[in-house]
Amino acid sequence: MKEFYYKKGNLFAEEVKIKDVANHIKTPFYVYSKLAMERRFDQLKNSLGALRHRIFYSVKANSNVSVLKVFGSLGSGMDVVSLGEYDRAKAAGIAGKDIVFSGVGKTKYEIQSVIIGGIRQFNIESEPELNLINQVATEMDKVIDVSVRVNPEVDAKTHRKITTGTKSDKFGVSFENVKMMFEKGTEMKGVSFVGLDMHIGSQISTLNAFRLSFSRLRKMTLELKRSGYALSRLDVGGGIGIEHNLNGDSSIPIDSYSALLKDYFDDLDCEIELEPGRSLVGNAGILVASVIYPKLGDENNFLIIDAAMNDFLRPALYDARHQLLAVKKSSKKENGLFDIVGPVCESSDTFERSVNLPPMQSGDLVAFSSAGAYGAVMASEYNTRPLIPEVLVSDSLYAIIRERPSISEIIRRDKIPEWL
Ligand code: LLP
């Protein structure tokens, strides 16, 4: 079965006609294909073959509890960066021993809470954080596994806002500091140093940056092992890019990525931990919206749709281009260039410029491809626009997996002090 496709000119997700969903749920909304997630997970898993590994789906890419449940039932662990994400993973039935906690700013409260709830390992990003985790764990009479996130000083050649592995980025520590932290760790009672961690950026489209960073990680591992430290885990992060089109593949063949992992790490006697996000969910989702008005201008024509930058921020924030699709293909010829814009009062609320489109009218449905990752999770209520629903499709079934809050619920969260 296909994931997203056209049948008689109509867009489908698995066996569900998108138009039928839009007849029941007000646009805009996200639609995810369960099959698409499963296929991508299995593809990665199979390509890793005999390499001793564990996949920790990166919750930040799409943290809907149903999505987490899909990956959990495939055997995935979870990579989280906040107590909120940790609690979501728990709500999806994931055990603490299957969760790794990454991120540069874990608070004392978060550290305490996840130690109580159970955690496989912390990926440590700084010396003060190491000290705090050690202190908290010691107070709780626990010994917690930690890996140190090393900054491999590799430019992933991706958008500058999503690169993380260069010297000037806030992430990880230099190899010199890693050694110093391992040394210090031998004196610590609350932590056990189990490995190294790395993540060089996201939406990476060539193997080169991975090759360079893997070779550095290998070198560091061997050096630490020579110094007598028993490393048993290597976390290589996520970052594999995707093509932005319907059913798009990853920009790097998954087999080549896995082959690289095997080349560099197979003989090190370490369990390889992966934290993929986008490559598992990005092309498992689309964003469906309706045309509000076509607006013909002197210089530009605009197609004003009911989705906006608050619902899907990637085009405004990273100049990302996601393929625009008609939910029902038109038999009419393209006859004009349109900028696709939302109703938010900012010029950056633009999804695409100068798209050649057939005539469109109010109520026509459109969709953006590749919106399953960093779509719903980055949405806000700017302009008091409620968060939009998420819909999960499996075969001929579909269900709302996040509801749209009412405007009155949003307003009720605001409080007017009695002295006002
Ligand atoms: N592990 C760590 C420590 C991360 O920081 C990230 C993503 C991942 C794994 C997952 O990376 P992925 O496989 O999804 O590339 N909002 C941006 C992406 C930010 C990614 C942040 N970290 C976007 O929309 O492109």
Side-chain angles (χ1 to χ4, degrees), residues 144-193:
I144 301 297
D145 287 347
V146 297
S147 284
V148 183
R149 177 166 175 180
V150 57
N151 183 334
E153 294 173 23
V154 170
D155 181 354
K157 299 268 185 288
T158 180
H159 193 282
R160 75 180 163 77
K161 288 185 182 160
I162 48 177
T163 193
T164 54
T166 69
K167 234 178 172 163
S168 57
D169 294 317
K170 70 178 173 183
F171 301 98
V173 294
S174 70
F175 188 48
E176 284 317 300
N177 285 333
V178 171
K179 278 195 286 193
M180 186 267 292
M181 283 161 80
F182 266 75
E183 235 168 80
K184 243 186 112 176
T186 54
E187 311 278 301
M188 294 181 157
K189 290 197 166 50
V191 290
S192 165
F193 280 60

Side-chain angles (χ1 to χ4, degrees), residues 81-366:
V81 292
S82 70
L83 186 57
E85 287 191 352
Y86 176 88
D87 284 349
R88 279 179 178 274
K90 281 290 187 83
I94 311 295
K97 66 174 177 42
D98 297 322
I99 304 177
V100 300
F101 199 136
S102 308
V104 291
K106 306 169 193 81
T107 65
K108 185 168 185 182
Y109 181 68
E110 288 180 313
I111 294 166
Q112 282 166 334
S113 307
V114 308
I115 292 181
I116 292 169
I119 190 80
R120 173 183 161 96
Q121 89 197 27
F122 285 107
N123 288 334
I124 291 193
E125 299 244 7
S126 66
E127 208 191 331
E129 183 185 64
L130 169 62
N131 294 338
L132 182 60
I133 292 173
N134 179 49
Q135 180 206 320
V136 172
T138 310
E139 280 164 15
M140 295 167 79
D141 209 13
K142 299 256 185 201
V143 183
I144 301 297
D145 287 347
V146 297
S147 284
V148 183
R149 177 166 175 180
V150 57
N151 183 334
E153 294 173 23
V154 170
D155 181 354
K157 299 268 185 288
T158 180
H159 193 282
R160 75 180 163 77
K161 288 185 182 160
I162 48 177
T163 193
T164 54
T166 69
K167 234 178 172 163
S168 57
D169 294 317
K170 70 178 173 183
F171 301 98
V173 294
S174 70
F175 188 48
E176 284 317 300
N177 285 333
V178 171
K179 278 195 286 193
M180 186 267 292
M181 283 161 80
F182 266 75
E183 235 168 80
K184 243 186 112 176
T186 54
E187 311 278 301
M188 294 181 157
K189 290 197 166 50
V191 290
S192 165
F193 280 60
V194 292
L196 292 176
D197 162 51
M198 173 192 98
H199 171 78
I200 54 171
S202 197
Q203 186 58 356
I204 298 170
S205 58
T206 66
L207 266 184
N208 272 340
F210 286 118
R211 190 174 290 120
L212 193 55
S213 53
F214 290 173
S215 83
R216 292 195 177 153
L217 189 64
R218 177 185 173 82
K219 226 173 119 207
M220 293 172 200
T221 307
L222 289 172
E223 209 174 313
L224 285 168
K225 283 194 171 204
R226 267 197 303 274
S227 309
Y229 299 110
L231 275 68
S232 56
R233 298 177 195 164
L234 288 180
D235 186 334
V236 294
I240 301 172
I242 59 166
E243 303 292 331
H244 284 173
N245 48 53
L246 206 57
N247 301 316
D249 260 325
S250 49
S251 341
I252 299 171
I254 294 296
D255 284 346
S256 322
Y257 175 82
S258 296
L260 209 60
L261 283 176
K262 289 176 203 161
D263 284 352
Y264 283 101
F265 304 124
D266 209 9
D267 61 341
L268 290 185
D269 197 24
C270 285
E271 183 172 26
I272 304 306
E273 301 172 319
L274 297 93
E275 299 173 353
R278 186 188 326 256
S279 55
L280 298 183
V281 283
N283 275 320
I286 59 172
L287 168 64
V288 180
S290 303
V291 173
I292 305 182
Y293 310 109
K295 174 175 173 179
L296 305 182
D298 293 337
E299 301 245 326
N300 290 27
N301 297 323
F302 298 95
L303 196 67
I304 305 170
I305 61 174
D306 60 2
M309 62 188 289
N310 70 297
D311 306 310
F312 189 38
L313 188 59
R314 302 200 71 259
L317 191 58
Y318 311 116
D319 300 315
R321 299 186 60 192
H322 289 255
Q323 190 189 4
L324 178 77
L325 308 150
V327 168
K328 182 157 182 52
K329 277 191 176 156
S330 171
S331 51
K332 298 181 192 128
K333 274 214 150 2
E334 289 95 1
N335 73 342
L337 296 180
F338 285 83
D339 290 358
I340 318 296
V341 300
V344 160
C345 302
E346 302 234 7
S347 299
S348 58
D349 187 20
T350 300
F351 291 102
E352 274 263 40
R353 290 188 196 280
S354 305
V355 192
N356 198 4
L357 292 176
M360 290 247 180
Q361 49 187 356
S362 302
D364 283 355
L365 294 170
V366 294

Side-chain angles (χ1 to χ4, degrees), residues 41-42 44-56 75 120 234 236 258 261-262 266 270-274:
F41 184 89
D42 288 344
L44 176 62
K45 181 104 206 135
N46 294 337
S47 72
L48 291 163
L51 180 75
R52 196 153 61 83
H53 73 274
R54 195 74 216 277
I55 299 174
F56 297 88
R120 173 183 161 96
L234 288 180
V236 294
S258 296
L261 283 176
K262 289 176 203 161
D266 209 9
C270 285
E271 183 172 26
I272 304 306
E273 301 172 319
L274 297 93

